[in-house]
């Protein structure tokens, strides 16, 4: 009982919370190292330091110290181990129990104040290890040949067979059609040294034909390639030269046109590719006559006419769409050729298109496409023939001669244009009345001797209120300039 009454005021309250600056251990009575009764009594006789009164609740912990660098010499003054920054979520240093000797209690507040100003530990986020490497191989899209230039400059030495060499070149032209002019000569020279037998020439024709009919975007480039090789390949075996073998290959597909036009979807798709390639071949394949005149292959013209008949005889949507594409491609050339020979084949084709639109069970979009084709043909396939130049145009031969002329009005408000018979008189009267063009030089000097009537009517005197404001503005500007 006597021990409990001899305690200093507030000693038990501080020990029960475990927030005392020098204690908090349950076994040592709040003192480090289990202090004995003598030391406890000596400590109890010392007056406790003044503490702020809290209204019955636990005092909130102080705010977190700002993350600033410690002042110079702060780490050297603080003892080792006392400047460790607090862990996130831990109690502040003032409320954390410490095990320090009793003689160091007077120095504890100074040490805590200095350790609170120590630089906090920066938490470094874990670095994710990337799988990318600077030594990784360079990426190329599928089908791209990185060593194409070197291989073709060296010829066909890196290719074991003719098929691989030709197929690689065809794929290159498909991806880069702009390289045709720069590389076709080297390709033809290489083929002249390689294609020396009938079988090799037949294989070359088949490779080009398959590429032109299996890839839609290669039909035009394939036709250009066939035209170039037909004039630059030197081999001419008994079975026929390059152009003759190519036409024979096309004839094989042409003879099955009726079955292909009514076949399944895959068969029709392959047949449509052949039709469009034959159209490109008709436009690009040049045949030189004995006198040097360049003409087109008449056999291809006849073949295209029969192919159109096969397509219109089976008026399915895809067949009609293929016929429209073929006529847009070759319609103007075919009609000019037929007109030169006195034929009316194009009129028959247009009549057949109109019958298909009226009778066939095709979709509305396809019918609209056919009608647009008829409209295109009525406008001469979109071609514009300049019958007369601008300098030769006159009001008599050009109905649009006065289309862009401006409209003027007389003093009575009557409109007139350059198409009116008395245009010159009315226009001269308008100039005299309005005086639109006074006599001035380029620098603005008046050569007429008289002043401008519009400028003469302007009064030079300012309104008193405006004049006062202007003077005030000038004085204010002068004052600011002097300052």
């Amino acid at each position: 009982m006597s021990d409990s009454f001899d305690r200093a005021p507030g000693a038990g309250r501080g020990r029960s919370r475990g927030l005392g600056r020098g204690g908090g251990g349950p076994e040592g009575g709040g003192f480090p190292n289990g202090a004995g009764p003598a030391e406890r009594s000596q400590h109890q006789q010392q007056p406790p330091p003044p503490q702020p009164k809290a209204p019955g609740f636990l005092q909130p912990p102080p705010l977190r110290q700002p993350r600033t660098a410690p002042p110079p010499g702060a780490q050297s003054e603080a003892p080792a181990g006392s400047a460790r920054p607090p862990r996130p979520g831990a109690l502040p240093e003032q409320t954390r129990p410490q095990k320090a000797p009793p003689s160091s209690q007077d120095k504890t507040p100074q040490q805590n104040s200095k350790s609170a100003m120590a630089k906090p530990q920066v938490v470094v986020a874990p670095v994710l290890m990337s799988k990318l490497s600077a030594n990784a191989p360079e990426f190329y899209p599928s089908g791209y040949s990185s060593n194409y230039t070197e291989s073709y400059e060296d010829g066909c030495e890196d290719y074991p067979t003719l098929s691989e060499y030709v197929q690689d070149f065809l794929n290159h032209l498909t991806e880069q059609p702009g390289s045709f002019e720069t590389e076709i000569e080297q390709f033809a020279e290489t083929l002249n040294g390689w294609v020396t037998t009938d079988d090799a020439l037949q294989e070359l024709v088949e490779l080009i034909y398959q590429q032109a009919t299996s890839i839609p975007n290669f039909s035009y480039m394939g036709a250009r390639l066939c035209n170039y090789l037909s004039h630059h390949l030197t081999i001419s075996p008994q079975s026929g030269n390059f152009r003759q073998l190519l036409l024979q290959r096309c004839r094989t597909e042409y003879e099955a046109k009726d079955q292909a036009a009514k076949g399944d979807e895959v068969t029709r798709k392959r047949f449509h590719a052949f039709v469009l390639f034959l159209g490109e071949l008709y436009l690009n394949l040049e045949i030189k006559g004995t006198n040097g005149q360049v003409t087109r292959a008449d056999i291809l013209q006849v073949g295209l006419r029969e192919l159109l008949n096969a397509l219109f005889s089976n008026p399915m949507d895809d067949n009609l769409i293929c016929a429209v594409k073929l006529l847009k491609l070759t319609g103007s050339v075919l009609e000019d050729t037929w007109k030169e020979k006195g034929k009316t084949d194009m009129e028959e084709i247009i009549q057949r298109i109109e019958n298909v639109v009226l009778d066939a069970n095709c979709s509305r979009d396809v019918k609209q496409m056919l009608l647009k084709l008829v409209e295109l043909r009525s406008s001469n396939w979109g071609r514009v023939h300049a019958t007369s130049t601008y300098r030769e145009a006159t009001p008599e031969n050009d109905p649009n001669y006065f289309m862009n002329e401006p409209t003027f009005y007389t003093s009575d408000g009557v409109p007139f244009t350059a198409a009116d018979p008395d245009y010159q008189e009315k226009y001269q009267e308008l100039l005299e009345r309005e005086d639109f063009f006074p006599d001035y030089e380029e620098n603005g000097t008046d050569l007429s001797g008289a002043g401008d009537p519009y400028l003469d009517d302007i009064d030079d005197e300012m309104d008193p209120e405006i004049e006062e404001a202007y003077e005030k503005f000038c004085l204010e500007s002068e004052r600011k300039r002097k300052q």
Side-chain angles (χ1 to χ4, degrees):
M1 293 293 291
S2 61
D3 293 339
S4 61
F5 286 102
D6 292 339
R7 286 185 302 175
R13 184 167 58 251
R15 184 178 62 181
S16 63
R17 290 198 305 263
L19 299 177
R21 191 175 298 272
E27 298 177 358
F31 290 88
N33 301 326
E39 294 177 355
R40 186 184 303 112
S41 61
Q42 182 181 359
H43 176 70
Q44 291 176 355
Q45 293 177 3
Q46 297 179 358
Q51 298 180 357
K53 296 181 179 181
F57 294 96
L58 179 65
Q59 185 177 359
L63 297 177
R64 178 180 60 82
Q65 294 295 335
R67 296 179 178 180
T68 57
Q75 297 180 356
S76 61
E77 295 176 2
S82 62
R84 185 180 61 181
R87 298 189 308 272
L91 293 175
E93 196 72 26
Q94 290 82 352
T95 60
R96 188 184 306 165
Q98 300 178 357
K99 294 182 180 181
S103 60
S104 62
Q105 292 180 358
D106 298 336
K107 299 180 181 180
T108 303
Q110 183 178 2
Q111 294 176 358
N112 292 336
S113 61
K114 292 182 180 181
S115 62
M117 298 179 64
K119 183 177 180 179
Q121 181 179 2
V122 180
V123 180
V124 180
V127 180
L128 299 178
M129 300 303 294
S130 175
K131 296 181 179 180
L132 299 178
S133 175
N135 300 324
E138 187 175 359
F139 170 75
Y140 292 101
S142 59
Y144 178 80
S145 179
S146 60
N147 57 350
Y148 174 79
T149 305
E150 294 80 358
S151 63
Y152 275 96
E153 288 179 355
D154 298 337
C156 56
E157 297 177 356
D158 298 337
Y159 294 89
T161 61
L162 173 66
S163 176
E164 294 182 3
Y165 174 71
V166 174
Q167 189 63 50
D168 192 14
F169 183 78
L170 295 179
N171 294 336
H172 175 69
L173 286 184
T174 304
E175 298 174 358
Q176 301 181 15
S179 61
F180 179 84
E181 288 79 5
T182 58
E183 299 176 358
I184 186 60
E185 183 177 358
Q186 177 66 28
F187 178 71
E189 293 179 359
T190 304
L191 290 181
N192 284 328
W194 199 330
V195 180
T196 57
T197 61
D198 296 352
D199 295 338
L201 184 60
Q202 189 70 38
E203 184 181 10
L204 174 64
V205 171
E206 185 65 25
L207 288 172
I208 297 176
Y209 175 83
Q210 292 296 335
Q211 184 83 359
T213 55
S214 60
I215 300 179
N217 294 334
F218 193 75
S219 58
Y220 167 71
M221 188 58 61
R224 291 184 61 190
L225 179 62
C226 291
N227 178 62
Y228 188 90
L229 295 180
S230 65
H231 297 291
H232 293 83
L233 283 183
T234 56
I235 181 175
S236 181
Q238 296 180 356
S239 59
N241 55 22
F242 177 84
R243 183 176 69 248
Q244 293 172 348
L245 293 179
L246 176 65
L247 294 179
Q248 291 177 10
R249 179 63 180 88
C250 294
R251 186 177 182 84
T252 303
E253 194 75 21
Y254 167 81
E255 292 176 351
K257 60 184 182 299
D258 295 329
Q259 294 79 8
K262 63 180 66 173
D264 57 3
E265 184 178 357
V266 178
T267 304
R268 294 199 309 269
K269 185 176 181 180
R270 185 171 61 250
F271 173 65
H272 299 158
F274 161 71
V275 171
L276 296 179
F277 172 64
L278 205 66
E280 294 285 3
L281 203 60
Y282 172 68
L283 297 178
N284 292 275
L285 188 60
E286 300 175 348
I287 300 178
K288 295 181 180 180
T290 55
N291 56 354
Q293 184 181 3
V294 178
T295 59
R296 290 187 173 91
D298 292 338
I299 188 174
L300 294 180
Q301 176 190 338
V302 178
L304 292 177
R305 180 68 175 89
E306 296 300 327
L307 290 175
L308 287 171
N309 290 336
L311 292 172
F312 286 120
S313 299
N314 301 276
M316 290 178 281
D317 285 356
D318 52 355
N319 286 341
L320 296 177
I321 292 175
C322 179
V324 170
K325 291 181 179 179
L326 179 61
L327 287 174
K328 284 184 177 180
L329 178 65
T330 62
S332 59
V333 179
L334 289 174
E335 185 173 10
D336 293 343
T337 306
W338 288 332
K339 283 183 178 181
E340 292 177 359
K341 298 180 179 181
K343 297 182 179 181
T344 59
D345 291 35
M346 186 58 67
E347 298 293 341
E348 297 174 2
I349 292 176
I350 296 300
Q351 184 62 40
R352 193 160 188 177
I353 291 176
E354 294 175 355
N355 295 336
V356 169
V357 173
L358 295 176
D359 301 335
N361 296 325
C362 56
S363 63
R364 186 181 62 178
D365 294 339
V366 174
K367 290 182 178 181
Q368 187 70 18
M369 187 182 299
L370 292 172
L371 293 176
K372 289 292 184 182
L373 178 65
V374 175
E375 182 180 353
L376 178 64
R377 189 258 176 179
S378 62
S379 64
N380 196 18
W381 303 101
R383 297 176 295 183
V384 178
H385 293 287
T387 57
S388 60
T389 60
Y390 176 77
R391 290 175 296 179
E392 299 175 355
T394 60
E396 288 76 16
N397 61 16
D398 189 0
N400 300 325
Y401 183 80
F402 299 108
M403 179 178 292
N404 297 325
E405 292 293 334
T407 301
F408 302 98
Y409 295 87
T410 63
S411 58
D412 300 333
V414 179
F416 68 95
T417 61
D420 296 337
D422 52 351
Y423 167 76
Q424 293 294 339
E425 299 178 2
K426 293 181 180 180
Y427 187 70
Q428 186 64 31
E429 180 183 355
L430 178 65
L431 293 180
E432 295 175 356
R433 175 168 52 88
E434 299 293 344
D435 193 14
F436 282 136
F437 305 101
D439 296 330
Y440 285 103
E441 285 184 338
E442 293 182 359
N443 57 2
T445 305
D446 188 1
L447 302 179
S448 62
D452 194 333
Y454 297 99
L455 297 178
D456 293 342
D457 295 339
I458 299 177
D459 189 5
D460 294 337
E461 296 181 0
M462 290 189 298
D463 185 77
E465 184 177 357
I466 298 178
E467 184 177 2
E468 182 180 358
Y470 178 71
E471 292 179 357
K472 184 177 180 181
F473 169 75
C474 292
L475 293 176
E476 184 69 18
S477 301
E478 184 67 20
R479 183 180 62 80
K480 289 182 179 180
R481 186 180 63 82
K482 291 181 180 181
Q483 291 179 354

